[in-house]
Amino acid sequence: MTLLITGGAGYIGSHTVLELLSTGHDVLVLDNLSNSSRESLARVAALTGRTPGFVQGDVRDRTLLDRLFTQHDISGVVHFAGLKAVGESVREPLRYYDNNVTGTLTLCQAMMAADVHRLVFSSSATVYGDPASTPISEACPTGQPTNPYGRSKLMVEQILQDLAAADPRWSIALLRYFNPAGAHASGRIGEDPRGTPNNLLPYISQVAVGRLAQVSVFGGDYPTPDGTGIRDYIHVVDLALGHLAALDYLQRHPGLQAWNLGTGTGYSVLDMIHAFEAACGHAIAYTIAPRRAGDIAACWADPGKAARDLGWRAQRGLAQMMADTWRWQSGNPDGYPGD
Ligand code: NAD
Ligand code: WQD
């Protein structure tokens, strides 16, 4: 039995493929490499001693999907493939809806045709919008995401809810990630954004390694203890392990469930900068800049439901997240070769 991992060459996907291979699963990756490189999976193979199947192709290609489901004995799908840059989604909404919404529709249609009904979907805490209170539990209503990227995630969640309601054969996990960060402890795989990073930790680490001059801290006047925004940063290896726990759960439980994957602890932007300084051993230049449009002040998870249902909890703390990020960034200052 094989698991199909769409977007498996990307940041979260490659870490998940590594954990799946290490625990004996057979894996087939489908990725169009629009935001990743083959090198991530070559390194996963070197680290695990097992080579994942790989097909370069698009999740919107129904003919290709039908062929993969026919040629392989696929028992479930983890669906990472999608576009994720918030600002780009504002400028190119149709590209985002096509990749993220049409991509998922095409995948589900192919799964139906192949009689495969176990699906783990990469959702996001962005579906909660600006939360009325923190920590955020799954019982909190989904809100109004402020950009097309976030709306595409909410739309897909709604489509999958309708699908599970209509057909009891489906077992679906909506995994709402908080802020993925960090890298594998080997320092061989990690986050390799194309162009200037949008997310905080890759930005900090590129300043630390000398690729960027200074961090702009977006807002110093939020109603938080130090005035900067608070988020729930979760180590990518913990996040990857959450997918294994969800896949296991879905084998025994039909229907659809949403789970927060976060740590339950929030850190401010300044906390993150200072923790990174401790990991890399030198100061990180930063300046307080105006707030970024669409940002919220604070957001962190109540991770209790995942602990109760899945037996999963994040194990890796802030210091390890920073040490692992620095090992990856300092060992691969320009990311994967050949990007
Ligand atoms: P990533 O860009 O590193 O990985 C996504 C992968 O999907 C890439 O390898 C890309 O080449 C591939 N891809 C994109 N469109 C495709 C298509 N149409 N067909 C086939 N492959 C395609 O991003 P990531 O950080 O690993 O995110 C994985 C998933 O998790 C995404 O769906 C993202 O929206 C979601 N997510 C990410 C975050 C985050 O902050 N990183 C937070 C919440 C949710
Ligand atoms: C974190 C904090 C910023 C960059 C986004 C998406 C969300 C999900 C995860 C994925 C905030 C501050 C950032 C910088 C800064 N995406 N910051 N200077 O905004 O919580 O979530 O990524 O699929 O949908 O919205 O993450 O890393 O961009 O920001 O001060 O250069 O760091 O204001 O407080 P965010 P982030």
Side-chain angles (χ1 to χ4, degrees):
M1 298 292 250
T2 298
L3 293 166
L4 175 65
I5 314 294
T6 75
Y11 171 46
I12 305 167
S14 57
H15 288 80
T16 305
V17 168
L18 186 152
E19 298 301 331
L20 286 167
L21 291 174
S22 307
T23 47
H25 293 86
D26 291 323
V27 167
L28 175 66
V29 170
L30 171 65
D31 199 304
N32 65 6
L33 302 182
S34 59
N35 197 39
S36 54
S37 89
R38 282 298 304 266
E39 180 66 13
S40 63
L41 293 178
R43 293 190 181 188
V44 165
L47 287 164
T48 60
R50 298 188 63 208
T51 302
F54 177 77
V55 174
Q56 182 169 354
D58 199 292
V59 78
R60 293 164 294 180
D61 182 343
R62 176 66 194 273
T63 309
L64 172 62
L65 287 174
D66 286 345
R67 200 175 74 231
L68 297 182
F69 280 109
T70 304
Q71 288 176 345
H72 300 266
D73 186 15
I74 293 170
S75 62
V77 179
V78 186
H79 180 37
F80 293 106
L83 301 177
K84 63 165 182 175
V86 169
E88 193 178 65
S89 80
V90 174
R91 293 188 298 277
E92 300 178 67
L94 293 183
R95 189 156 81 90
Y96 270 67
Y97 289 123
D98 188 37
N99 249 280
N100 294 1
V101 181
T102 310
T104 309
L105 283 176
T106 309
L107 175 66
C108 289
Q109 286 160 350
M111 289 176 70
M112 284 265 272
D115 215 13
V116 176
H117 298 96
R118 186 164 53 128
L119 175 66
V120 176
F121 173 63
S122 295
S123 189
S124 168
T126 195
V127 299
Y128 293 113
D130 194 353
S133 62
T134 43
I136 304 173
S137 83
E138 295 81 352
C140 295
T142 50
Q144 301 207 320
T146 53
N147 54 74
Y149 166 74
R151 283 189 279 277
S152 77
K153 290 289 170 189
L154 190 53
M155 285 176 195
V156 170
E157 282 207 0
Q158 289 165 341
I159 289 166
L160 296 177
Q161 273 154 8
D162 288 341
L163 187 57
D167 183 343
R169 288 173 302 173
W170 283 92
S171 40
I172 300 177
L174 308 177
L175 299 185
R176 294 174 178 161
Y177 311 157
F178 279 66
N179 287 63
H184 188 256
S186 63
R188 297 291 294 153
I189 60 170
E191 188 169 10
D192 182 19
R194 300 209 161 154
T196 306
N198 301 303
N199 293 116
L200 179 65
L201 193 52
Y203 206 104
I204 293 175
S205 64
Q206 290 197 14
V207 171
V209 84
R211 272 175 75 175
L212 295 168
Q214 64 174 5
V215 181
S216 295
V217 176
F218 297 144
D221 57 353
Y222 282 109
T224 60
D226 67 14
T228 68
I230 290 179
R231 297 289 184 276
D232 184 337
Y233 297 91
I234 174 167
H235 195 296
V236 66
V237 173
D238 283 325
L239 192 63
L241 293 170
H243 293 72
L244 273 66
L247 280 164
D248 187 47
Y249 179 96
L250 293 182
Q251 256 183 328
R252 291 171 281 113
H253 300 87
L256 174 142
Q257 295 256 8
W259 288 285
N260 289 340
L261 295 186
T263 67
T265 303
Y267 291 105
S268 74
V269 178
L270 294 182
D271 290 336
M272 296 293 282
I273 291 175
H274 296 317
F276 206 89
E277 288 174 330
C280 73
H282 61 262
I284 308 279
Y286 69 88
T287 181
I288 304 290
R291 292 182 181 190
R292 183 173 65 179
D295 272 356
I296 57 176
C299 159
W300 67 91
D302 173 349
K305 182 168 185 275
R308 287 190 298 277
D309 296 347
L310 307 179
W312 171 93
R313 250 186 205 289
Q315 306 287 340
R316 293 159 181 81
L318 188 61
Q320 184 169 355
M321 209 181 298
M322 298 314 196
D324 291 340
T325 304
W326 180 236
R327 197 173 299 111
W328 154 252
Q329 186 71 67
S330 54
N332 306 268
D334 298 315
Y336 292 114
D339 278 2

